[in-house]
């Protein structure tokens, strides 16, 4: 990620855009520094700083560019590393939510650049689950993830991320005892109905 965060030469210099890219760069660097910290207090402080910095580019609108870099790329990087921060903070639940958000922003980037082996493993698991759930599905005709073309794989990753994220949020609310009917309904609407053309 950091190797691609080169600010493009532009006729005018936008400090706010430079600040966004800078926050992403130093947010990633702070994670590395946290893993090398000698004491728990320093580690905790560096991870908290990293999280604050990564939240800046994560809040960008997906469309457009910042300092010549596609916002989609900046947001995807941000959520991926926010997931790493939460994993290092031993918050597996939030780490999973951030990772799923990364997939929702750009399944292609995650699959090709950030975590190809993890994505392949998750895809195998998801497809196996859908085969058992829907015996007559098209997925049952595919022997492996390799049989899917790039568009199919990206679409399935998007559906999977949407479905898993909705379920994670649902169980989080239920486990906290917050039975907000409107919120639960909105989460329920986000869960795919298994009618994707690649699943049915």
């Amino acid at each position: 990620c950091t190797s691609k965060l080169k600010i493009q030469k532009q006729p005018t210099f936008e400090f706010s855009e430079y600040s966004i890219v800078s926050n992403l760069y130093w947010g990633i660097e702070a994670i590395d520094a946290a893993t090398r910290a000698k004491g728990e207090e320093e580690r905790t402080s560096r991870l908290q700083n990293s999280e604050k910095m990564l939240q800046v580019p994560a809040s960008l609108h997906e469309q457009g560019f910042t300092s010549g870099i596609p916002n989609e790329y900046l947001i995807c990087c941000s959520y991926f590393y926010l997931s790493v921060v939460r994993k290092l903070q031993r918050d597996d639940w939030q780490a999973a939510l951030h990772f799923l958000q990364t997939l929702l922003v750009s399944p292609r980037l995650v699959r090709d650049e950030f975590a190809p082996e993890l994505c392949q493993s998750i895809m195998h698991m998801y497809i196996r689950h859908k085969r058992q759930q829907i015996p007559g599905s098209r997925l049952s005709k595919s022997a492996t993830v390799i049989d899917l073309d790039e568009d199919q794989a990206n679409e399935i990753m998007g559906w999977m991320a949407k479905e898993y994220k909705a379920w994670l949020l649902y169980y989080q609310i239920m486990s906290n005892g917050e039975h907000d009917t409107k919120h639960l309904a909105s989460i329920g609407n986000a869960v795919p109905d298994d009618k994707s053309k690649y699943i049915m």
Side-chain angles (χ1 to χ4, degrees):
C1 271
T2 54
S3 66
K4 295 188 178 181
L5 299 182
K6 294 179 181 177
I7 296 175
Q8 306 296 317
K9 291 182 179 179
Q10 297 176 349
T12 57
F13 179 81
E14 288 288 339
F15 180 77
S16 61
E17 292 193 2
Y18 173 79
S19 177
I20 290 168
V21 176
S22 180
N23 269 284
L24 178 54
Y25 180 87
W26 291 111
I28 295 169
E29 290 293 309
I31 296 172
D32 186 47
T35 61
R36 291 183 279 105
K38 295 178 180 178
E40 187 62 30
E41 190 175 332
E42 181 189 354
R43 182 179 183 276
T44 300
S45 175
R46 287 187 183 278
L47 288 174
Q48 288 172 345
N49 287 338
S50 173
E51 187 169 27
K52 287 176 186 174
M53 288 186 279
L54 292 170
Q55 285 170 348
V56 174
S59 65
L60 286 169
H61 190 280
E62 284 185 32
Q63 304 302 318
F65 293 78
T66 300
S67 293
I69 303 168
N71 286 355
E72 180 186 64
Y73 187 84
L74 297 174
I75 296 167
C76 203
C77 282
S78 301
Y79 276 108
F80 181 78
Y81 282 101
L82 281 168
S83 177
V84 173
V85 168
R86 286 298 189 153
K87 182 66 179 171
L88 292 171
Q89 292 172 330
R90 300 176 185 88
D91 184 351
D92 290 341
W93 200 299
Q94 194 60 50
L97 284 173
H98 284 321
F99 181 75
L100 291 171
Q101 185 60 35
T102 305
L103 287 173
L104 287 171
V105 173
S106 179
R108 182 189 60 78
L109 278 173
V110 184
R111 201 166 51 84
D112 293 348
E113 294 189 31
F114 301 160
E117 290 180 13
L118 177 60
C119 284
Q120 189 170 24
S121 174
I122 294 171
M123 280 278 285
H124 278 298
M125 180 185 68
Y126 184 69
I127 288 173
R128 190 166 57 246
H129 168 71
K130 288 300 178 187
R131 282 175 180 162
Q132 292 170 353
Q133 196 178 55
I134 313 165
S137 73
R138 284 188 188 176
L139 289 179
S140 61
K141 297 174 185 176
S142 296
T144 64
V145 174
I146 298 169
D147 296 332
L148 302 170
D149 65 34
E150 188 171 339
D151 289 339
Q152 289 174 325
N154 289 340
E155 183 164 347
I156 290 174
M157 291 291 281
W159 277 100
M160 180 197 70
K162 198 178 289 186
E163 184 174 351
Y164 286 176
K165 185 177 179 184
W167 281 113
L168 268 177
L169 290 170
Y170 174 81
Y171 285 118
Q172 186 176 38
I173 289 169
M174 295 304 287
S175 65
N176 291 337
E178 299 171 10
H179 304 292
D180 182 339
T181 309
K182 288 182 181 177
H183 192 54
L184 288 175
S186 68
I187 289 172
N189 292 336
V191 179
D193 58 5
D194 292 330
K195 291 181 181 174
S196 166
K197 62 184 176 181
Y198 298 120
I199 292 177
M200 290 300 283

